[in-house]
Amino acid sequence: SVPANAAVTDSEQVAGLVRSSGPTYVTLIVSEKDANNGTSSAREGNRSIPVTSGSGFVVDGTGYVMTAAHVAKHNGNTVSARAANGRVYSGRVVAMYPENDMALIKLRGFSGKPVTPSDNQCLSKGKIVYSLGRPHAQGDTARLGEFEAMHFGQAVRYPGTNGKFGYPDAMVLRLSTQKGESGGPLCDGEGNLVGMIVSTLYDGQGQPLNLAHAVPSRTLAGFLCTNLQCQGRWSSLNSCSG
């Protein structure tokens, strides 16, 4: 479950949902090979150095985890994932879709509890949602918010990535997320997955707003079912994700 220091700010019912969905959540450190500018030995050149950290969630009981592409960075990057049971598992980025900020990771020896996608993807404005994530230099955090809109209405490209990472549209949330929470699950009031957190919105002065974006579960299903045999609700969502 989510550790005791998680920031749960509402009723016992919401806290219970967080405890139930907590085992589906992992925190990630992503590393890539250190090229060392060609100055070190071949052995040293094979070292991996951490390049990003973020959040993720289990989508399959055989060790597959989904996160944001801007967290995963590149296909083949190595991953260290801390699961809800406190153990750390190793894995690798196995699929990327940077244009819609989605990535898939395979962890070795891990069989965590997978998320359950909601069978109702038609959220109404004001509906309670919550996210699980790990802000940089902080503990695991659950954030309570409200659904604002299904569409942002314009494409987003992340600065400093040469246009590689971003998304064509996203859900809009009244939710105050922070860096490090990207890739974390977004759940509804029944504890089922409705999306994946991908970014925090800022004002013209660079101050964070109480707004966040998430990739909806239907879009996640299309990516997941393209790269992994899926079934159940994932399969149903994929069949109507067009």
Side-chain angles (χ1 to χ4, degrees):
S1 61
V2 174
N5 64 345
V8 180
T9 58
D10 202 58
S11 66
E12 289 186 10
Q13 179 183 6
V14 174
L17 289 171
V18 170
R19 286 192 295 271
S20 175
S21 55
T24 70
Y25 154 76
V26 296
T27 59
L28 306 169
I29 297 176
V30 179
S31 301
E32 59 185 26
K33 287 185 178 179
D34 181 5
N36 284 305
N37 296 318
T39 61
S40 298
S41 68
R43 181 177 179 181
E44 290 176 335
N46 286 329
R47 292 183 307 176
S48 291
I49 56 172
V51 289
T52 59
S53 63
S55 304
F57 53 94
V58 183
V59 293
D60 181 276
T62 61
Y64 285 94
V65 168
M66 189 170 285
T67 189
H70 77 268
V71 172
K73 290 290 188 183
H74 300 290
N75 250 330
N77 275 354
T78 57
V79 179
S80 175
R82 184 176 59 82
N85 61 12
R87 293 183 59 186
V88 176
Y89 298 85
S90 297
R92 189 172 297 275
V93 179
V94 295
M96 294 271 294
Y97 189 4
E99 297 85 357
N100 213 144
D101 208 7
M102 299 180 290
L104 191 63
I105 292 165
K106 179 65 167 70
L107 300 179
R108 294 187 293 273
F110 178 66
S111 56
K113 175 185 177 183
V115 294
T116 301
S118 173
D119 56 7
N120 179 15
Q121 297 292 313
C122 298
L123 302 180
S124 56
K125 184 175 180 178
K127 183 176 178 65
I128 293 295
V129 293
Y130 66 91
S131 66
L132 301 178
R134 186 180 180 86
H136 290 164
Q138 297 183 37
D140 297 334
T141 301
R143 298 193 187 278
L144 192 67
E146 294 181 357
F147 176 78
E148 178 68 18
M150 199 67 212
H151 301 283
F152 182 55
Q154 65 184 64
V156 171
R157 285 291 174 263
Y158 301 141
T161 67
N162 294 320
K164 179 179 180 180
F165 297 106
Y167 41 89
D169 198 3
M171 302 163 66
V172 182
L173 316 164
R174 293 281 175 187
L175 192 68
S176 183
T177 59
Q178 298 180 25
K179 289 183 178 179
E181 298 178 48
S182 291
L186 178 73
C187 301
D188 61 17
E190 288 72 49
N192 296 322
L193 186 83
V194 293
M196 178 181 70
I197 299 294
V198 287
S199 68
T200 299
L201 303 188
Y202 296 84
D203 64 18
Q205 286 69 49
Q207 297 300 310
L209 301 170
N210 185 35
L211 292 170
H213 281 170
V215 176
S217 291
R218 282 181 178 172
T219 304
L220 300 176
F223 171 69
L224 178 64
C225 294
T226 298
N227 292 281
L228 185 69
Q229 184 176 4
C230 61
Q231 54 189 349
R233 290 187 183 178
W234 283 118
S235 181
S236 299
L237 286 177
N238 182 49
S239 67
C240 61
S241 62

